[in-house]
Amino acid sequence: MTSTVTQKQILTSNQTYQKIRRIAFEIFEQNFQEKEIILAGIVGEGYSFAKRLATELTDISPLEVVLVRLDFDKNIHYQSPILMDDTHLDFQNKVVVIVDDVLNTGRTLAFALDPFLRTEMKKVQVAVIVDRSHHLFPIHADYVGYSLSTTISEHVKVVLSDEENAGVYLK
């Protein structure tokens, strides 16, 4: 007998986009003195979130928003190489916000810090849509759309790349 895994919608599309807009305002409030901010989106829904966040920041602020995609294998349990779509970008004395969809153990975000640890940064911040609070790494999010207490066996899925089914789901 096979079990059917059902998923429950936690945030609708509209609610998810409201959370993203609120995070954009928070980022601007914390960085209003900057001329430029770099959003480093982790491949997958993290990058989709970063693109949406860049649009919102551009709409509400005078900040120049630079969008970078961090591409690495999140399923490897050791540090995999991190590739960026803009290898000539200068991070010296800049504010970088690392953007991902869900903060679970913190492993993915800890690995994503690697390229930024090699230069003198002004500030590195983290933005996530959902914080599940199962941290195994000393990573916390500066900007959180929704904090959700779950069991470690449950799975949170953020969908932004599919407009028709956008939202946050729990399996």
Side-chain angles (χ1 to χ4, degrees):
M1 180 181 275
T2 33
S3 64
T4 306
V5 177
T6 59
Q7 62 181 14
K8 177 182 178 185
Q9 188 170 30
I10 302 299
L11 295 174
T12 65
S13 169
N14 202 24
Q15 291 168 324
T16 303
Y17 295 139
Q18 286 173 342
K19 301 283 186 196
I20 293 170
R21 186 161 179 86
R22 183 181 54 76
I23 290 170
F25 275 105
E26 290 178 25
I27 290 171
F28 178 52
E29 288 170 3
Q30 294 298 315
N31 299 288
F32 70 92
Q33 294 176 325
E34 301 299 320
K35 291 182 179 9
E36 175 184 75
I37 193 164
I38 298 169
L39 298 180
I42 296 175
V43 68
E45 292 301 321
Y47 186 67
S48 296
F49 172 30
K51 287 193 299 190
R52 177 68 94 163
L53 201 51
T55 301
E56 294 293 337
L57 276 167
T58 302
D59 287 348
I60 66 167
S61 77
L63 291 172
E64 179 184 336
V65 180
V66 177
L67 185 61
V68 176
R69 187 178 70 232
L70 301 177
D71 196 353
F72 60 100
D73 189 341
K74 297 187 272 187
N75 297 317
I76 296 178
H77 294 288
Y78 58 88
Q79 181 72 42
S80 65
I82 297 177
L83 305 172
M84 286 192 230
D85 56 354
D86 187 348
T87 56
H88 301 295
L89 192 57
D90 179 22
F91 299 110
Q92 186 82 21
N93 294 316
K94 301 277 176 72
V95 174
V96 174
V97 180
I98 299 175
V99 181
D100 202 8
D101 54 347
V102 178
L103 171 54
N104 188 20
T105 64
R107 182 174 57 90
T108 299
L109 286 163
F111 288 167
L113 286 170
D114 184 59
F116 307 107
L117 297 176
R118 296 187 175 105
T119 187
E120 187 177 330
M121 306 289 300
K122 185 179 273 184
K123 197 180 335 181
V124 177
Q125 300 174 319
V126 173
V128 296
I129 295 176
V130 177
D131 183 354
R132 292 186 57 199
S133 300
H134 292 291
H135 304 187
L136 299 177
F137 288 75
I139 300 290
H140 89 279
D142 301 279
Y143 310 104
V144 176
Y146 193 70
S147 293
L148 183 63
S149 295
T150 61
T151 67
I152 196 72
S153 63
E154 291 175 309
H155 180 75
V156 174
K157 181 179 177 184
V158 175
V159 177
L160 296 173
S161 55
D162 177 4
E163 288 288 327
E164 190 173 308
N165 296 306
V168 176
Y169 300 88
L170 178 66
K171 286 189 200 183

